[in-house]
Amino acid sequence: MKAFRKTGVSTLINILGMSVAFAAAMILMVQVRWDTTYDANFEGYEQVFRLENNWMDKGLYSTFFSRPLIEITRSASPNIEAVGTFGWMAQEVTLKKDGEETVLSVPSARVDSSMFSVFPFEWVEGSAREFTAGETAVVSEEYAKTFFGDESAIGKNFKAGNGVEVRVIGVFKDLPKNYSMHYGVLVNLGDDCLDTPSEWSFAAFLKMRDPSRAKETEALMVNNAILEQYGDDYDADDADEIRKGFRIVNLHDAHFERDVRANIASANKAITITLAAIAILLILIAIINFINFAFAEIPFRIKSINTRKVLGEGRGSLIRRQLLHAGLIALIAFAIACLIMHVVAGTSWASYVSDSLALKDNLGILALMLGVALVSAVIAGLAPAMYSTSQPAALVLKGSYGTSVKGRSLRNLLVGLQFILSFLFILMALFVGVQTRFMIGRDMGFDEARVLQTWCGYPAGNQKDALKSHLLQNPSIEAVTFADGQIVSDQKMGWSRTGDDGNQVFMEVLPVDVNFAEFFGLQIVEGRDFRESDNQNEAGSIIPNETFMQMFPQFHVGSLMGGHVDDCELIGVVKDFNFKSLQHAMGPLVLYNWGKEGWRSFGQMYVRTVPGADFKEVSDYIKEAICKFDPRREPHMITVSHLDEGIENMYQSEQSLGKLITIASFVALLIAIIGIIGLVFFETQFLRKEIAVRRVNGATVGGILKMINKKYLIMAVASFVIAAPVAYWLMTAWRKGFAYQAPVPVWIFLVALLAVAAITLAVVTLQSWRAANSNPVESLKNE
């Protein structure tokens, strides 16, 4: 019972540390699993590849191609089983019920029939056999039920996001969320842009018969298809550049690419590896704590162990008894970890990871962690059990191990390792925050103050002048402008054009209203801005950015370039502004005014409010205005947000990583503190005689506390000296994935050192206070 009083508290602390470590590790592994299984969760995923090129800006790769170019690759090699074409569209559908139209937000895309030969689809109802015309569509099981309830979806009609009424010819089984084809509605592309080589807004997916011949197939696609079709337009050097700028990448591997622009989910492999490493290190820290506590408890358990020896119990039985004790602690810690994860799943913290944290959705991870818990118990319990059962009774009954050099050195080494890992986590968490704030706070090159953004949709955008006039009647609204997409997004419309010198020109294009540059305070550095009269231009007009002009010096103000109808005039040059998130470098961009015959209406609307305007009031007014011009929609279907918040959300993965590492750093530090508490608790048991002698000889309580604290501060500083250069290397390696990199500030090292030192001082002082203040006479008498 006396031993339990001595070790019971330490056992509870040990369970707390392990349960928190297990819970944090399981949450991190949910995100790791999401990324490591992305596009690797369907049969034959090894055969599916994505086409990419870097012909646009000679820097980042793009997934955009023209349909004619995609078509000619189909027969380039006998190793090509199928090539599917993908086109983006508005994420909404219009349903008609009881004579009234309702708009629903639905993940939608346009594909050709070959896509069903590239990706496996399991059909619940109907099939893709009739997926042959632009007026046909297939829907997922989830959205078939949303649209039509319990009725059969086959033969039903609805209006897709491209404004075309389509007929449902198939219902497919819901696909995993971490899957490139996770869409609710797939509409047939039909013949859209099939004969338009200048429209580069389509992606292509390739299925190979033998993926081991990928490089050979890639070469054949360039030589037998692309250069065969367009070779007369290029000399040998150009042809070589085309070969170097084309590649096909396995779709799962493409999820981790950092040199590509694509409007689909992507991840940073370094981040995924980091999260997996953190999960493993947290478990390691917990195991270290376990071992530390187990060794520290030996002097208190040795009497019981040796008594059992005297009564005839064998060493093997004693070892098994201690392993069972360790296993019970691990099982209790695992159960508490599951409870923690369940609680976190119902909080806002769950948004830090991409997948569900519900226990029922993570049975595989739970089973894995249960195995890890039991193995941890064996690893952490075996060495102390072997050691404690091998010691002579006379040695251990005196508690000699507790004060021996060997015993102290081992525990000090283990706690030092915990300190090193805690410093690494804290420093990385601080720097991720520095890099993220650096990107969020960087000047984007345009005025984003008091700007609200919303997708108003094409029907309302088709009446933009009337909608603008209506909005400006509100005294809280200062200005309104429109565009065909967001001012900041990682992928825009891709164009390929031939310059006056016959060379191919690639760029990204953002169609905008005539007041777009004025609205955002964009600086026209040469030529002029758009005017209202440009709306009457037959072919439209363009304003490229400075990077475009530097990359393609053959163009100047007054040059002509092919538009969506005919040649349009280059009327000015806009100063570079960041039209992508700051993970990406500046590229060539063209602002395009449709002119008299717009290809389509504008769907993106921006509203600048007056200073001090009430967001909810203005937001409600905007929603009501959109519904007035598009009666199909209802206010609750429309989202109005601050532009700066939208830009900030583009760094969600970095913010989530920072939060996850911050949580991990707190967990690691908590476990290290628990280790220190245990170490100080047990060491002070064996320092009582020394403390008493010092007190009798005149030592003060402050002096005693200084003596005990000195050891742990030296340990913390030594651990920092080891961790700091490793952390710096990790920081500089991680930030290489960003075009705009924050410098590594000195203050994060000072903050980490001072924070850990302060916490260590506080913990050690509080834990040692009782021993330092105890009556020296009583301590000597007990000894």
Side-chain angles (χ1 to χ4, degrees):
M1 194 67 187
K2 182 178 179 182
F4 176 78
R5 285 196 300 271
K6 294 289 187 184
T7 63
V9 173
S10 70
T11 299
L12 293 176
I13 293 174
N14 199 8
I15 290 173
L16 172 63
M18 289 190 71
S19 59
V20 172
F22 286 158
M26 288 192 293
I27 291 172
L28 293 175
M29 289 308 297
V30 171
Q31 181 64 50
V32 171
R33 181 194 60 195
W34 171 274
D35 287 322
T36 54
T37 62
Y38 204 101
D39 280 330
N41 45 19
F42 60 91
E43 186 178 354
Y45 77 88
E46 305 94 339
Q47 299 171 263
V48 180
F49 290 72
R50 187 172 74 192
L51 275 62
E52 299 175 357
N53 73 82
N54 72 348
W55 303 325
M56 183 173 292
D57 58 18
K58 309 300 182 186
L60 295 174
Y61 279 80
S62 169
T63 58
F64 280 176
F65 290 83
S66 66
R67 284 200 73 184
L69 195 60
I70 294 171
E71 291 299 313
I72 65 173
T73 64
R74 295 184 186 276
S75 58
S77 165
N79 192 38
I80 297 175
E81 185 173 324
V83 177
T85 306
F86 177 96
W88 282 265
M89 68 186 303
Q91 306 293 288
E92 61 184 31
V93 302
T94 303
L95 297 174
K96 184 176 286 188
K97 290 186 179 180
D98 301 326
E100 293 191 2
E101 291 186 332
T102 303
V103 177
L104 298 178
S105 178
V106 181
S108 308
R110 297 183 298 158
V111 299
D112 64 4
S113 58
S114 296
M115 196 64 77
F116 301 107
S117 298
V118 175
F119 293 96
F121 283 79
E122 186 176 339
W123 299 100
V124 177
E125 191 178 9
S127 70
R129 282 192 299 271
E130 297 180 52
F131 195 79
T132 55
E135 294 78 29
T136 54
V138 295
V139 298
S140 69
E141 191 175 9
E142 175 190 353
Y143 281 100
K145 190 170 184 63
T146 300
F147 295 167
F148 310 113
D150 295 329
E151 297 180 22
S152 171
I154 303 300
K156 296 287 197 306
N157 292 348
F158 63 84
K159 191 177 293 184
N162 59 351
V164 175
E165 186 164 317
V166 295
R167 175 174 57 89
V168 178
I169 53 93
V171 177
F172 57 88
K173 189 174 181 180
D174 294 334
L175 300 168
K177 292 181 179 178
N178 57 340
Y179 186 38
S180 287
M181 283 295 109
H182 181 71
Y183 288 93
V185 170
L186 296 174
V187 176
N188 193 291
L189 267 172
D191 296 332
D192 186 29
C193 296
L194 198 55
D195 299 316
T196 311
S198 60
E199 180 56 43
W200 285 53
S201 55
F202 300 93
F205 299 93
L206 163 71
K207 185 175 184 181
M208 287 189 197
R209 291 185 171 87
D210 181 2
S212 67
R213 296 169 55 196
K215 281 298 177 185
E216 173 192 332
T217 305
E218 178 181 280
L220 290 173
M221 292 177 75
V222 177
N223 295 326
N224 292 1
I226 299 173
L227 290 176
E228 183 72 24
Q229 181 77 12
Y230 300 106
D232 293 340
D233 297 331
Y234 305 104
D235 58 26
D237 291 337
D238 292 332
D240 192 50
E241 286 296 316
I242 289 173
R243 289 190 187 95
K244 291 178 180 178
F246 177 80
R247 70 185 184 190
I248 54 176
V249 184
N250 177 263
L251 193 55
H252 171 62
D253 296 334
H255 180 62
F256 294 102
E257 289 181 315
R258 301 301 291 166
D259 61 345
V260 65
R261 292 190 303 267
N263 265 347
I264 55 178
S266 63
N268 188 329
K269 183 171 281 189
I271 291 177
T272 303
I273 293 172
T274 299
L275 294 180
I278 289 173
I280 294 170
L281 291 175
L282 287 176
I283 298 299
L284 177 61
I285 292 174
I287 293 175
I288 290 172
N289 238 24
F290 204 154
I291 295 173
N292 211 349
F293 273 100
F295 270 110
E297 289 176 359
I298 288 176
F300 299 103
R301 297 187 183 278
I302 200 66
K303 185 174 182 180
S304 171
I305 292 171
N306 279 278
T307 300
R308 292 178 183 278
K309 276 186 180 180
V310 171
L311 294 176
E313 187 170 353
R315 188 185 180 196
S317 175
L318 291 170
I319 291 173
R320 285 193 297 273
R321 186 186 296 275
Q322 291 191 59
L323 288 179
L324 285 173
H325 174 74
L328 180 61
I329 291 176
L331 287 175
I332 294 172
F334 172 73
I336 296 174
C338 291
L339 178 61
I340 293 173
M341 186 170 173
H342 173 71
V343 171
V344 172
T347 68
S348 60
W349 287 9
S351 64
Y352 298 166
V353 295
S354 302
D355 207 358
S356 166
L357 290 180
L359 297 181
K360 64 181 179 62
D361 296 328
N362 296 286
L363 297 180
I365 289 177
L366 295 182
L368 174 65
M369 194 55 63
L370 176 59
V372 169
L374 295 176
V375 170
S376 300
V378 172
I379 294 173
L382 187 59
M386 294 287 288
Y387 185 84
S388 64
T389 56
S390 66
Q391 299 302 303
L395 172 66
V396 225
L397 282 170
K398 292 180 181 179
S400 301
Y401 178 79
T403 56
S404 69
V405 174
K406 184 178 180 181
R408 285 191 305 240
S409 297
L410 176 61
R411 292 198 295 276
N412 291 343
L413 177 64
L414 294 175
V415 172
L417 182 56
Q418 289 177 326
F419 266 132
I420 291 171
L421 295 175
S422 298
F423 275 123
L424 287 177
F425 288 156
I426 292 169
L427 288 167
M428 279 303 298
L430 289 172
F431 184 68
V432 169
V434 167
Q435 175 66 33
T436 304
R437 287 192 297 274
F438 173 79
M439 293 188 296
I440 292 173
R442 186 179 173 89
D443 183 10
M444 297 294 287
F446 59 86
D447 185 3
E448 57 191 271
R450 309 189 313 278
V451 175
L452 306 181
Q453 62 179 357
T454 185
W455 175 258
C456 65
Y458 294 128
N462 197 39
Q463 309 169 71
K464 67 178 182 65
D465 292 333
L467 176 56
K468 183 187 299 185
S469 297
H470 179 80
L471 290 170
L472 290 174
Q473 292 175 16
N474 188 318
S476 296
I477 294 177
E478 191 175 89
V480 180
T481 195
F482 295 84
D484 190 46
Q486 295 183 334
I487 184 173
V488 181
S489 63
D490 286 344
Q491 188 80 65
K492 291 177 170 61
M493 183 191 302
W495 270 16
S496 165
R497 295 294 186 268
T498 302
D500 295 338
D501 57 358
N503 289 324
Q504 205 74 6
V505 176
F506 298 91
M507 73 211 80
E508 289 182 87
V509 179
L510 179 62
V512 298
D513 199 3
V514 290
N515 70 330
F516 185 85
E518 178 187 4
F519 179 94
F520 282 107
L522 301 177
Q523 184 180 347
I524 305 299
V525 295
E526 188 178 352
R528 65 173 178 84
D529 194 0
F530 295 118
R531 301 170 182 161
E532 283 293 337
S533 58
D534 291 325
N535 283 328
Q536 303 306 313
N537 191 310
E538 292 292 338
S541 48
I542 61 170
I543 300 178
N545 65 354
E546 292 173 303
T547 296
F548 175 94
M549 301 300 287
Q550 292 163 8
M551 290 181 62
F552 309 115
Q554 64 267 38
F555 287 93
H556 53 82
V557 174
S559 293
L560 297 179
M561 179 188 294
H564 69 290
V565 175
D566 202 349
D567 286 346
C568 55
E569 183 183 0
L570 193 161
I571 62 170
V573 178
V574 66
K575 184 179 177 62
D576 279 341
F577 65 94
N578 291 107
F579 58 94
K580 297 187 183 77
S581 59
L582 296 180
Q583 291 100 329
H584 306 299
M586 188 68 65
L589 174 73
V590 168
L591 300 180
Y592 182 36
N593 176 258
W594 290 125
K596 190 173 183 179
E597 298 294 334
W599 182 26
R600 58 174 173 251
S601 57
F602 296 122
Q604 186 74 25
M605 182 171 72
Y606 293 96
V607 174
R608 188 182 300 280
T609 64
V610 298
D614 182 84
F615 171 75
K616 187 178 184 311
E617 178 186 326
V618 176
S619 175
D620 289 344
Y621 185 81
I622 292 171
K623 292 177 182 179
E624 290 172 3
I626 293 172
C627 293
K628 177 180 179 181
F629 288 88
D630 184 1
R632 306 169 307 150
R633 309 182 75 182
E634 297 179 13
H636 68 86
M637 302 175 182
I638 301 168
T639 300
V640 178
S641 62
H642 294 279
L643 175 59
D644 53 0
E645 291 178 358
I647 296 173
E648 185 174 335
N649 288 337
M650 298 184 74
Y651 309 109
Q652 181 121 24
S653 61
E654 285 75 27
Q655 290 175 312
S656 296
L657 172 66
K659 290 170 183 175
L660 287 173
I661 296 181
T662 299
I663 293 171
S665 65
F666 278 122
V667 171
L669 188 56
L670 171 64
I671 298 172
I673 289 169
I674 289 172
I676 293 170
I677 291 173
L679 195 57
V680 175
F681 174 76
F682 287 109
E683 286 208 346
T684 52
Q685 304 300 316
F686 303 102
L687 287 174
R688 287 183 180 276
K689 183 176 180 179
E690 180 183 346
I691 292 172
V693 171
R694 287 176 178 271
R695 289 293 308 279
V696 169
N697 288 318
T700 63
V701 172
I704 299 295
L705 293 176
K706 183 179 179 180
M707 176 193 73
I708 299 174
N709 270 300
K710 181 180 178 181
K711 165 188 170 181
Y712 293 99
L713 283 178
I714 292 174
M715 190 185 302
V717 172
S719 300
F720 174 79
V721 171
I722 296 172
V726 177
Y728 181 81
W729 176 81
L730 290 173
M731 292 172 195
T732 52
W734 177 73
R735 70 176 181 177
K736 286 179 181 177
F738 302 91
Y740 299 89
Q741 301 172 3
V744 179
V746 175
W747 67 262
I748 64 175
F749 293 94
L750 295 176
V751 167
L753 178 59
L754 292 176
V756 173
I759 293 172
T760 301
L761 277 173
V763 169
V764 174
T765 299
L766 290 173
Q767 189 69 11
S768 307
W769 184 264
R770 184 177 176 183
N773 278 279
S774 61
N775 188 329
V777 176
E778 290 295 322
S779 296
L780 290 171
K781 184 170 67 176
N782 291 335
E783 289 290 329

